[in-house]
Every structure is written in C-alpha cells, then in structure tokens.
Amino acid sequence: MAAFTQHAAALAELTAPVPLVKESKTVKNREASLHRPALIVRPKKLQHVQHCVRWALKHKAGLTVIGGGHSGHCLWPDIVSIDMSYFDQVHIFEADKIEGDAASNPGFVVVAEGGCKTGDIVQTTMKKGLTVPLGACPSVGAGMWLQGGIGHLSRLHGLACDSIIGAVMVSADSGDVLHVGHVPIQRRPPGSERPENEADLLWAIKGAGTNFGIIISVTFKAHPASTYLTQNWGFPLSNDDELRRKLFELDKLVAGELPRNCSLDVYLYNDADASQLRIGVTMVRCSMTGHTLETQSLTSVDDVLGPEDSMRVVDGVGLFETEMYMSQIHGGHSGGKTSSFKRCLFLSDIRAEFVVYYLIAAIWTRPSPLCYLHLLQGGGAIADVAAQATAFGCRDWGFACVITGVWPRDQDGTETARDAVRWVYKSAETLLPWSSGAYGADLGPDPRDTALAVKAFGPNRLRLSRLKRNLDPRHVLAHACPLSKVPKELKLVVLVTGESCAGKDFCAEVWSSMFTKEGFTVSTASISNAIKQEYAAASGADLASLLHNRAYKEHHRPAMTAFYLDQVRRRPQLPKEHFLDAVHGAGNANVLLITGMREKAPVATLSHLVPDSRLLEVRVEASEETRRSRGASQGDGNGNSGTSNTSVVTYRPDFFHNNDSWSSGNEAAWFFDHKKLLHYLHEDLQRLADMVRPVPDFPRRGMTFRHVLNIAQQRIGLTLCVRFFEMYYHGIGQNVAAVTACEAGGFVFASALAEKVCVPLVLIREAGKLPPPVISVVKSPSHISSSPSNTSTEERIEMERDVIQKGAPVVVVDDVLASGETLCAVLQLLDEAGISAENITIMVVAEFPAHRGRDLLRRRGFGRANIQSLLFFGGS
C-alpha cells in the first residue's frame, strides 16, 4: 500500500476535482490528531467520493474516513483522509414508501448521511416523535453505528447496527455507487446499482461496515421517541473486598432483575481530589412507547443502592449530558479539559473470580487517578439477535468494560499520555482471555490492536475476512478494524484417538461445535466407519447396527480387528488411504477432526501427507471401569491401546484428555478445546509465517530456501515467537531445569525464551568450542548442510558435562525441524547426559513435514519427546 507525502505528484490528480481541507482539521480523538496525513479532502458531492476511491485504486493507495473524528485511525500518517462533513443531512420517510414489503417495515425510517453525528440524528428525529438507538455520545459519527453502537436504548431496541436496514455506499473495489437493503427511492443516487452479493454486503455493514466501502448514507428503522429517567449513585470504596461485594450486588441483585427498558452503567474512578476510590452507578429508565414515564422505584435497586444522589427526567438530547463521565467524574470530561484513549471488552460475568481480580488490578495500576473503568450493561435485545445474524458477533455479555485512559489535554503527546495508553492496552491484554469479545469500533492498524481484533467479531471473523478479500481486494480501506487473512487451506487436522468407549466421538463432536462457534469451518470424519463398511461387505454383518448399536459393535469388535489387520497385511498403504480419504473429504474446511485412527504414532507417520497443515493427536482416556460401564468388551483390541502413562508406549501423543465422566465431559472437553487447541489457529501464527521469506534457487537450483531466521529481523517477530513458546513452556507442568539449543539458529530463539522464563540456557556447540569437561556425539549432516553446495560431512557436537542434573526436564529449542538429524544428535547428547526423551520438550519455529523428521526421531528411539512446532511449510 503506497504512502504519500505532500510533494507526491499523484496528489495533484486527486485534488484537481476534490476540495482540499486547507485549514487545520480538528478531530475528537487526540491520538489521531497527532498523526500527519498526506492530506485531507472534503468532497461536496457523491462524484467526489467516487473519484477518491478510483484515484486510490489507480495509485495503490489507502484511504481513511473522518466522520465524528473519534477513531484513532481517522487520520493516519502519509495516508489521504476523506472528511465527510458535507454529507450531514437527516431525512425521515414513511416505511411504506420503501420498495419491498411495507408490512414488514411499519412506521418510519431515518436516512442519515455519512457525515452526520449522533446528536444530529437524535435532534432531527425527536421533532417527529421518533428516535434511533444510537450510542451515548452526541459527537460520534457513522463509524460507531456501523460497528455496533452501544447506548441506553440497546437493551430495549438493540444496537445501532441492528436498526440498519439499508445503505448507499461507494464500492472500495470499483468506485461504483451501490445501494443495498431498503433505501427510499428518493435517496437512491441516479445510476446506483444493487449488487449481486447484496445480502452478504448488508450483513457485513451491520457490525463491520467501515471495511467494505465508503458509506454515503445509512437507512435506520425508527422507534417512538422515549423519555428517560436518570438516577445517579456514588459510594466510596475502602478496600478490595468492598469492591467485590458491590460488584456482586450490582450484577446479581440489580442488573439481573432490571427490565429491558432499564440500563445500568457502573464507573470505577477517583473523586475530584484523587483521594478516594469510588464506584458510581447510573441507571437509565426509558418509556416503553413514548408515553409518560412512570417513575416508581424498583425494589431491587432500592434495597442495594438506597436513595439516589440525583434524579432527572430528560429527553433524548438531555440524556447526553446526564452521562456520569460527562458531568460528574473529575468534575466532568466535557468542555475539552481532558483527552482520553479507550478499548472495550465484553465480559460475560463480572463476578467471576479472575475477572474481579483483573478489574481490581487495573484500578490499582492506573498511571493517573484520572483513568477509570466504565461497565455498560448488556443483555436484553442485544442478546436476542443471533451471533451470526449480523457481522456484530459478540452478543453474549453481561457488561461491556470500557478501559479509559485519561490525561490533561495540555499533556497530549507527552509521556503522561503514553503511560495512559500503555495502561489501557495492558489492562485489556490481561482481561482478554476472560472476555467473550472485543469492541471493534475502537480498533485500527496499531499492532497492539491485533490480538483484540481477533476477538472482535465472534464467530463471524472468517466470513468477514472472505468478504474483505472479495470486496476490498486492494486494501483501499486497510486502516479500518483489522480483519484476519483468509486461510488458504486446511490448517488443523486433529486425530482423536483412544480405546473403545473412552468417548472419542463425543469429544470430537464437542470440539467441532466449539471450533464452529469460533467461526471456523469444521469437518469430521470417522476412519472406523470406513473399516466397518468394508467388514460388513465382507462378512455380511449389518452395517447400520455396526454404526449405531454399541452392543452389536462390541460383539463384532474382535472379528473386525482381525479383519482390519489382515487387510493391512495385504494392503500396507491402507491406513494412509483411509487418512487421505478423510482429508480429501474435508472440502473447504479449516479444521478436520478424525476419529477411529488405529495407527501408532500417527503424527510421525502421516504428517508428510499433509505438509502444509498442522497434524495433532489428542488421546482421549477413561478408566477401565468407566469404559466397561459404557459397553466396552473385554480386550477391546482396537489396536491403539495405551494410557496416560507414557512409559508403556514408544511414542507420545500431543495431548491427553481425560473423559472419565459424562456428566462433566462437555465442560471438560470445551475447556480443553479453548485451552489447548484454539491457539494453534491464532492469527499471529500467520503473521509469523508471513515473515519467513522464501528464497528461490538457494542453496541450489530448484530448491526454495525458507529464511526462518528472518523472523528475528522483524520488529515483533522474536516477541511473537517467544510468546507462543512461553505458552508451550507453561503447559509442560514440570520445573524445567534448562533451555538448550544447538548452534546457530536455535541460539536466537532459545536465549530469548530462557531469559523470558528465567531458566538457565545450556549451549550445544561444535566440537572444540567449549572448555572441558564435555560430552559429545556425532551429528550427521542436516538437510541444508548435505546439499551439494556444502562439502561438510559428519561432525561432532558437545555440551559441558554435568551442566544439567540427570533426569531433569529440559526444553530443546531449534529454528527448523526438517530431516531431524540435528535434533536426533541433540537428543542423543542429552541421553548421554542422563536425560531421557520423555523428559524433553522440543520447541521448533518451523517444521517441514515432507522430510519426515518426526518419524526419524521415533525410529531412533526418541518418540516420547514432546514436539511443538509453530509453523509448517510444504515442499523442501
């Protein structure tokens, strides 16, 4: 994406027809105001916006859009910004004037142009006795409505994006004008088109609408205007226990009992002189149908909160000024006295132990008493909408937590402001694992937003990514809330193994459901079903009973096992055929779950068949008593025996999952899925893969060299690597004695991990480079060193004697696993030092399964080592 300066010749082509903003442009977001865009244009008509997009397409440039100016990326360095302020009209129409079924759209609709502010819409609609459920700040613009829009009417009428029924936009792919959904005929520009993918585009606009085109106008469904009763309470907090108790009462006894025409806001802040931590509560009650508001008290509120400190009855405009952060906290933030930076997470349960812990930690680590936390109640109409019904997929939350860093405005751009921003990100990072999502409206191209963006759209992330690829393929709007790249192929294959009646199919079903909820396309396959079909055809057994009648299946199990072993003797490639049939049957799935695998060490023996995918084995276990109770026969003979005691097998599955209890099995399997499996699909792994530069015809013609060490030369590459390695490290469950690596590539990543986890680093070097006493072994040439351009044959590697205690757990780090020769030598050296394979965890940056390195390790007796690779690459 090209970046431009004020002197770039191409800018003259843009500003010839489109008015240029010559004066200094003031935006609400103080972080954005510090950015220096290439220039700012202010189109006066639709054709000007089209020209901007077509100019960007021609010059491979990016654009940002200024609506309300609250976005931290509405201005971006060296990028052209489009100020939509001339598009500021609000129009109201009777719904039956819209093309389509009038009965499904009774009442009125509101058409708001892309430069309107929330306050403009509320003021205009109030004059007609109408309203639209927008946000709580009058100066926010279209970016907020298109990406959610949480306000005091959300529990009654839904989010702002839920009321969107149509839009007019300029396509980011062509510059053409499109109208989607229900748009009054009077507001459809001449020559506008209804796109073929209209349903997908309208779906995407309702929650992620800043990513696909420049919005000219939005059509909302209107509701009768409400009158609001606002009540405020404030309480001093003397200690953490008091805060825990108050949060419990507010969530269970107040929020849990409120009708949906009431909403609760909770603030954790300091009083005006910064001497006392306080909890503030605002309750907003709106009239249900525009009639006079009944102001009788609610018993649960009175019991917990007592008499309010203040109470007002206001209309929609007056409601803006009743917000506690605008009028009370630190004397009120209105009037331009302070600047702020926010990130918002969705919390399902603010009473949960870890959530309360991290909320308290956030409060006590604030860099300034001006910073605060704001909890906004969810539920009601927000949760009535299915997560996949609109692009806004985060629906299941009790409170949204807005982490707000605040500083005096005269400190903009100083270390004080930067400390506040860092505190926001740090607090968000610690709460993120306990959240049900993040609010995408705040997020942009800042790398610190990447982890939040992954959770911004719930199960809709991958669908949105595909739409982004199709609707903005040249990334004209690259500075909106980031959407992950579309997986290009099957990313994860999970082999669910175990003895009969351990619950393999049950766990696969649970994990399939969980992957689906996270937005992945999932396929499941049972290799045992293929075996049953072949056995039934050969023996005359009833196939339906083999598939669905457990007792019948267990009766035939010994005969089926004998049949299968005979088939494998006759057709040694049969296991691979079954595996590939399952893979090829996965279609366009991102994740494939396979049950019924009978092979030992299946990852080592089969991974080369899917070299571009990650292959994992999860062994499901249950006690013999439990399996008997589920119908297992004596000596199940499934050819895949073993228990969690790794000493009885010659290889080590990637994971063991205990499925001893049906009653808690679903919860345990769900937790396992989120704890162990989902991070293998984390977007940051693709970011790391993109840093591995391919070098053609090196080290010899016809070979493509993958420059794995290039990761360490990227700004956040080493940080991302170590973050994943640290995750694997903490999953070992033992006190690791040392991190070790063989020169030279492994040193880069091993030293960073050892420093991070505070464990000694033991270096394995070429012979003669370490002082005695040492132990040494012969290392055969690796994949690269055995190439014709390298004349080296075998060499010796060594480590200092007794530097690691015998039998101690050790982590081995290397940059690459290809043929496996280097790691075999390292494990042989460690074996000489008294450290066996079952006590070794291998962490590798990049694995090349085509070279079958895992299989070599297994064949040489190191199959019980735990191998964790970050990236996988096909080919050589």
Side-chain angles (χ1 to χ4, degrees):
M1 187 59 60
F4 289 87
T5 69
Q6 292 288 354
H7 304 289
L11 294 178
E13 180 184 336
L14 173 64
T15 57
V18 183
L20 178 67
V21 177
K22 297 180 180 180
E23 71 277 10
S24 176
K25 174 67 180 179
T26 302
V27 295
K28 287 286 184 178
N29 189 288
R30 302 306 294 176
E31 288 288 297
S33 68
L34 300 176
H35 298 155
R36 293 293 176 262
L39 53 77
I40 303 173
V41 294
R42 185 177 292 152
K44 293 185 176 182
K45 53 186 179 180
L46 178 58
Q47 290 75 13
H48 289 164
V49 180
Q50 289 181 273
H51 180 78
C52 291
V53 172
R54 288 168 178 163
W55 173 88
L57 290 169
K58 176 181 177 180
H59 294 284
K60 299 181 180 180
L63 300 172
T64 65
V65 179
I66 305 171
H70 282 255
S71 164
H73 44 277
C74 62
L75 299 176
W76 200 253
D78 297 329
I79 298 295
V80 172
S81 298
I82 302 177
D83 178 1
M84 294 293 290
S85 57
Y86 276 120
F87 293 79
D88 62 353
Q89 298 300 300
V90 180
H91 308 274
I92 300 174
F93 297 90
E94 293 183 41
D96 59 8
K97 298 298 191 293
I98 301 176
E99 178 184 309
D101 182 6
S104 66
N105 295 287
F108 294 84
V109 299
V110 175
V111 178
E113 293 184 348
C116 289
K117 312 295 191 296
T118 292
D120 302 331
I121 300 173
V122 171
Q123 287 184 333
T124 302
T125 55
M126 274 185 55
K127 296 174 183 177
K128 297 288 187 179
L130 302 170
T131 194
V132 176
L134 302 174
C137 178
S139 58
V140 299
M144 191 65 68
W145 329 321
L146 294 167
Q147 298 179 95
I150 305 171
H152 294 298
L153 285 173
S154 295
R155 284 174 40 79
L156 180 59
H157 296 308
L159 303 169
C161 66
D162 296 335
S163 289
I164 295 176
I165 60 173
V168 174
M169 63 186 295
V170 174
S171 165
D173 184 29
S174 64
D176 294 338
V177 181
L178 309 175
H179 65 267
V180 298
H182 299 289
V183 179
I185 295 175
Q186 302 93 314
R187 303 310 307 168
R188 296 180 193 170
S192 65
E193 303 173 354
R194 191 180 292 274
E196 292 183 4
N197 60 347
E198 179 184 17
D200 280 339
L201 191 50
L202 181 60
W203 175 89
I205 287 172
K206 294 163 71 79
T210 60
N211 253 295
F212 306 101
I214 296 179
I215 298 297
I216 303 302
S217 68
V218 175
T219 305
F220 293 102
K221 176 184 176 182
H223 299 271
S226 296
T227 303
Y228 305 89
L229 171 68
T230 66
Q231 296 167 275
N232 289 309
W233 295 262
F235 307 94
L237 295 171
S238 57
N239 54 53
D240 295 351
D241 289 338
E242 193 171 1
L243 174 56
R244 287 189 178 91
R245 178 178 58 81
K246 189 60 71 175
L247 287 175
F248 177 88
E249 293 174 344
L250 287 170
D251 186 28
K252 183 176 181 179
L253 304 179
V254 179
E257 301 297 326
L258 289 181
R260 59 176 57 199
N261 69 314
C262 295
S263 66
L264 200 68
D265 288 59
V266 179
Y267 300 86
L268 302 177
Y269 68 102
N270 274 93
D271 58 16
D273 61 5
S275 62
Q276 177 72 57
L277 179 64
R278 298 180 62 84
I279 185 167
V281 181
T282 296
M283 190 178 76
V284 177
R285 194 186 326 181
C286 63
S287 59
M288 298 288 286
T289 58
H291 296 175
T292 302
L293 181 68
E294 297 181 2
T295 59
Q296 73 270 20
S297 61
L298 299 170
T299 302
S300 60
V301 175
D302 291 344
D303 289 345
V304 174
L305 299 176
E308 66 275 350
D309 298 335
S310 63
M311 179 175 68
R312 292 176 59 189
V313 176
V314 296
D315 59 17
V317 175
L319 184 62
F320 293 132
E321 290 304 318
T322 65
E323 287 286 342
M324 186 172 287
Y325 75 89
M326 292 289 286
S327 60
Q328 295 188 36
I329 296 179
H330 314 136
H333 288 285
S334 59
K337 293 174 291 189
T338 58
S339 298
S340 65
F341 180 87
K342 304 178 181 181
R343 289 295 179 263
C344 176
L345 299 177
F346 299 119
L347 306 176
S348 297
D349 183 4
I350 63 170
R351 290 176 281 149
E353 179 182 353
F354 282 105
V355 172
V356 174
Y357 173 83
Y358 286 123
L359 289 175
I360 292 173
I363 285 296
W364 293 122
T365 57
R366 292 172 300 166
S368 161
L370 293 175
C371 303
Y372 65 94
L373 301 180
H374 178 191
L375 301 172
L376 301 85
Q377 187 183 4
I382 300 171
D384 290 344
V385 179
Q388 292 168 304
T390 70
F392 193 96
C394 300
R395 300 282 178 173
D396 181 21
W397 46 278
F399 282 88
C401 178
V402 184
I403 306 163
T404 309
V406 184
W407 60 91
R409 180 149 294 188
D410 60 10
Q411 297 294 306
D412 286 347
T414 68
E415 195 62 25
T416 298
R418 288 188 285 272
D419 283 344
V421 172
R422 283 192 286 264
W423 170 76
V424 171
Y425 277 119
K426 181 63 177 178
S427 300
E429 179 185 358
T430 55
L431 277 169
L432 188 62
W434 311 101
S435 72
S436 59
Y439 194 17
D442 299 321
L443 308 179
D446 190 309
R448 293 173 293 184
D449 283 336
T450 302
L452 299 173
V454 169
K455 298 190 71 170
F457 301 102
N460 302 322
R461 181 165 56 94
L462 291 179
R463 181 180 177 187
L464 285 167
S465 298
R466 294 186 179 97
L467 287 173
K468 180 71 172 179
R469 181 182 63 186
N470 295 332
L471 300 176
D472 185 15
R474 283 166 283 187
H475 303 289
V476 171
L477 299 174
H479 297 81
C481 180
L483 295 172
S484 59
K485 293 184 178 180
V486 180
K488 298 178 181 178
E489 67 279 310
L490 185 64
K491 286 294 184 184
L492 178 64
V493 181
V494 182
L495 305 176
V496 186
T497 64
E499 296 176 320
S500 67
C501 299
K504 302 182 293 294
D505 292 327
F506 168 81
C507 290
E509 181 180 348
V510 172
W511 296 332
S512 174
S513 174
M514 295 307 163
F515 279 121
T516 301
K517 287 182 179 179
E518 294 292 335
F520 297 101
T521 305
V522 185
S523 178
T524 58
S526 173
I527 288 177
S528 64
N529 285 352
I531 297 170
K532 291 167 189 172
Q533 291 171 359
E534 295 171 3
Y535 170 77
S539 67
D542 180 72
L543 178 60
S545 297
L546 287 174
L547 293 174
H548 305 296
N549 186 314
R550 182 178 292 276
Y552 185 86
K553 177 181 68 176
E554 292 302 318
H555 173 74
H556 281 268
R557 182 175 295 281
M560 276 195 297
T561 299
F563 170 81
Y564 173 74
L565 293 176
D566 182 65
Q567 291 296 304
V568 172
R569 182 179 61 81
R570 297 168 183 266
R571 298 160 53 196
Q573 298 301 311
L574 183 62
K576 294 180 181 178
E577 293 172 12
H578 284 161
F579 174 73
L580 288 176
D581 286 344
V583 171
H584 295 153
N588 293 321
N590 312 122
V591 179
L592 172 62
L593 297 157
I594 300 177
T595 60
M597 174 64 64
R598 292 169 174 258
E599 297 304 298
K600 296 184 184 297
V603 174
T605 57
L606 299 173
S607 60
H608 68 286
L609 300 175
V610 284
D612 292 302
S613 303
R614 183 185 299 274
L615 185 62
L616 297 174
E617 180 188 1
V618 179
R619 184 167 184 82
V620 179
E621 298 185 310
S623 67
E624 183 174 349
E625 180 182 358
T626 298
R627 295 191 304 106
R628 293 275 182 269
S629 70
R630 296 172 183 168
S633 60
Q634 182 73 28
D636 59 46
N638 70 351
N640 196 13
S641 61
T643 68
S644 60
N645 182 359
T646 58
S647 65
V648 302
V649 294
T650 59
Y651 80 100
R652 178 174 181 164
D654 295 280
F655 299 107
F656 293 93
H657 173 62
N658 186 288
N659 191 46
D660 232 12
S661 172
W662 287 118
S663 60
S664 62
N666 193 306
E667 179 179 353
W670 179 91
F671 181 80
F672 178 88
D673 174 271
H674 280 65
K675 186 77 172 176
K676 302 288 188 182
L677 298 180
L678 274 175
H679 77 266
Y680 287 111
L681 295 165
H682 198 287
E683 186 177 54
D684 281 347
L685 290 173
Q686 184 60 52
R687 295 176 68 193
L688 282 174
D690 292 341
M691 297 177 191
V692 179
R693 180 167 60 89
V695 183
D697 297 323
F698 178 81
R700 64 176 182 266
R701 183 172 296 279
M703 177 183 286
T704 298
F705 177 79
R706 296 281 184 172
H707 190 11
V708 176
L709 288 177
N710 188 54
I711 288 175
Q713 300 178 136
Q714 306 304 307
R715 188 169 64 86
I716 59 170
L718 195 58
T719 299
L720 289 178
C721 264
V722 173
R723 184 181 301 168
F724 282 105
F725 280 162
E726 186 181 9
M727 187 188 313
Y728 297 157
Y729 176 92
H730 290 302
I732 294 173
Q734 303 179 70
N735 293 322
V736 173
V739 172
T740 185
C742 187
E743 62 180 312
F747 286 0
V748 175
F749 303 97
S751 57
L753 175 63
E755 190 275 335
K756 184 71 173 178
V757 298
C758 299
V759 167
L761 174 66
V762 174
L763 302 179
I764 297 174
R765 306 207 62 188
E766 295 175 1
K769 293 187 176 180
L770 289 174
V774 298
I775 53 176
S776 66
V777 297
V778 172
K779 182 180 87 70
S780 298
S782 66
H783 171 59
I784 293 298
S785 63
S786 63
S787 65
S789 63
N790 194 316
T791 58
S792 66
T793 54
E794 64 180 27
E795 61 184 25
R796 298 192 71 85
I797 58 172
E798 60 187 22
M799 61 183 286
E800 293 185 47
R801 186 184 301 276
D802 300 326
V803 70
I804 306 175
Q805 182 181 354
K806 292 182 179 181
V810 171
V811 170
V812 175
V813 177
D814 208 350
D815 57 337
V816 167
L817 170 55
S819 68
E821 291 288 354
T822 298
L823 281 172
C824 275
V826 170
L827 267 62
Q828 183 183 348
L829 186 64
L830 291 172
D831 187 69
E832 293 279 345
I835 299 160
S836 57
E838 60 260 35
N839 289 323
I840 296 173
T841 296
I842 301 170
M843 299 184 187
V844 176
V845 178
E847 183 173 346
F848 297 82
H851 297 284
R852 308 190 67 173
R854 287 182 186 244
D855 196 43
L856 180 70
L857 287 165
R858 182 182 67 89
R859 287 187 283 109
R860 293 198 180 166
F862 303 121
R864 286 180 289 172
N866 178 18
I867 304 174
Q868 298 284 351
S869 299
L870 295 185
L871 310 174
F872 290 81
F873 294 99
S876 58

